[in-house]
Amino acid sequence: MAVVNAKDMLLRATEGKYAVGAFNVTNIIQMAAVVEAAAEKNAPLIIQTSVTPTRLIGPGVLAAVYRELAEQAPIPIVLHLDHCTDLDLCKRCADTRYTNIMIDASKQIFEENVRQTKEVVDYCRGIGGITVEGELGTVTGVEDQVAVAEDEAALCDPDKAVQFVERTGVDILAPAIGTAHGIYRTPNPKLDFDRLEKISGLLNGDGPRIPLVIHGGTGLKPEVVKKLVALGGSKFNVSTDLKHALIDATFEYISAHREEYNPGKIDKAAQESVKRRIFYWIDLLGCEAKA
Ligand code: 13P
């Protein structure tokens, strides 16, 4: 039913105080698994591709497979380019009709972040129907080609967030609040909940206006995830968890069937494992039956 962009889907989530799962996929098997799982839960869905798999498989191929899957699925689905620092790739993905583009200029100084984000916003407005996510402050850890060391971390300044939104026209904002990409080094990472609440109040206080994104979903405790959603996070990014599900299931299947040469069965095992993780996240984020 539904090739959609992220804005309306996330405004509804902000209003309803749930979050939509934004799941990074690295191949088409994983993309199909994520769609199947979300459809079974009747949940809205955001599929994300990081820069490396996007370049490897090709934006046109990914967008075509997405379109085919989304048009047949009974749920609304977004295709999002994740953490892209390359303006040309942002534009190529918009040309192939990704429906949400993240320009990540968060490591640049504020003025340059504004300039690059606005350039992508203007480009996507020119095409129409494509929304844009920007980031302010830096999320530590490694997400594909973007690596941010702990001593480079900068949390999002709430007043700057308002300026950033006004000056860029960005549709969706990822404010850095202390979450990190990859596996957390401590069971209780220090997150700045007050900062999220303040940003949420400034941008969504009089009613949903700019949906907020939580990066670094993997490894957060369920009660922490729920708190971040309650404080206004309406797009919830998960990547590392799904890489583990894919690789562990593949390894386990091959180890248990060393004499078998049937790639379809390996794919099936990986799909089932990824689906189980998507069910977990959809339950936790509260987006079941919100399609
Ligand atoms: P994790 O890999 O920590 O789940 O983070 C995902 C993410 O934020 C993608 O943008």
Side-chain angles (χ1 to χ4, degrees):
M1 102 176 171
V3 165
V4 296
N5 64 48
K7 183 84 187 233
D8 289 344
M9 177 191 279
L10 295 176
L11 286 175
R12 266 198 298 281
T14 306
E15 176 108 56
K17 298 218 175 299
Y18 60 90
V20 176
F23 301 116
N24 288 61
V25 302
T26 49
N27 64 33
I28 288 163
I29 297 295
Q30 234 182 348
M31 194 190 277
V34 167
V35 170
E36 242 181 68
E40 281 176 39
K41 289 279 189 182
N42 196 27
L45 171 66
I46 299 175
I47 300 170
Q48 314 201 125
T49 66
S50 302
V51 168
T52 300
T54 305
R55 289 213 171 101
L56 189 68
I57 302 171
V61 175
L62 288 163
V65 175
Y66 153 68
R67 199 155 289 270
E68 180 71 20
L69 290 169
E71 279 168 359
Q72 289 176 23
I75 52 171
I77 308 179
V78 168
L79 180 62
H80 163 102
L81 173 66
D82 204 29
H83 285 288
C84 188
T85 56
D86 172 352
L87 293 174
D88 289 338
L89 185 61
C90 287
K91 292 174 187 173
R92 252 178 77 208
C93 287
D95 290 340
T96 62
R97 301 296 191 273
Y98 270 59
T99 59
N100 198 61
I101 303 286
M102 178 182 187
I103 165 69
D104 181 355
S106 61
K107 279 179 105 176
Q108 310 292 331
I109 58 163
F110 182 72
E111 287 303 323
E112 181 61 11
N113 190 354
V114 167
R115 190 192 70 73
Q116 291 190 14
T117 304
K118 183 159 172 20
E119 185 173 326
V120 174
V121 169
D122 290 345
Y123 190 85
C124 291
R125 294 285 186 273
I127 296 173
I130 303 169
T131 46
V132 177
E133 175 179 328
E135 178 168 315
L136 197 57
T138 44
V139 176
T140 57
V142 178
E143 167 48 41
D144 193 51
Q145 303 191 326
V146 179
V148 179
E150 268 166 27
D151 58 5
E152 288 182 295
L155 299 186
C156 178
D157 175 329
D159 296 325
K160 282 257 170 75
V162 175
Q163 278 183 44
F164 184 74
V165 165
E166 284 170 0
R167 289 182 57 194
T168 59
V170 80
D171 299 287
I172 296 156
L173 180 71
I177 51 142
T179 57
H181 293 127
I183 300 294
Y184 287 93
R185 291 214 207 116
T186 146
N188 294 305
K190 203 163 159 272
L191 308 187
D192 196 336
F193 297 107
D194 293 344
R195 187 176 297 265
L196 177 63
E197 188 169 21
K198 181 145 192 225
I199 295 166
S200 187
L202 289 169
L203 294 177
N204 294 307
D206 305 326
R209 190 160 61 92
I210 303 293
L212 300 176
V213 186
I214 306 296
H215 281 256
T218 298
L220 292 175
K221 290 185 172 161
E223 59 273 22
V224 171
V225 172
K226 286 190 171 160
K227 189 164 175 186
L228 292 167
V229 174
L231 291 174
S234 63
K235 174 174 180 277
F236 208 91
N237 287 11
V238 180
S239 175
T240 304
D241 188 42
L242 303 183
K243 288 182 190 152
H244 283 221
L246 179 81
I247 291 172
D248 289 348
T250 303
F251 178 77
E252 279 158 24
Y253 188 88
I254 293 174
S255 304
H257 304 83
R258 201 56 203 92
E259 303 303 320
E260 190 181 274
Y261 286 83
N262 188 336
K265 287 192 177 177
I266 302 170
D267 291 344
K268 190 83 200 142
Q271 274 198 332
E272 290 306 320
S273 169
V274 169
K275 277 179 75 176
R276 281 193 291 278
R277 294 311 296 161
I278 303 297
F279 291 149
Y280 166 84
W281 284 105
I282 286 175
D283 287 346
L284 189 56
L285 299 174
C287 60
E288 180 168 6
K290 304 286 189 192

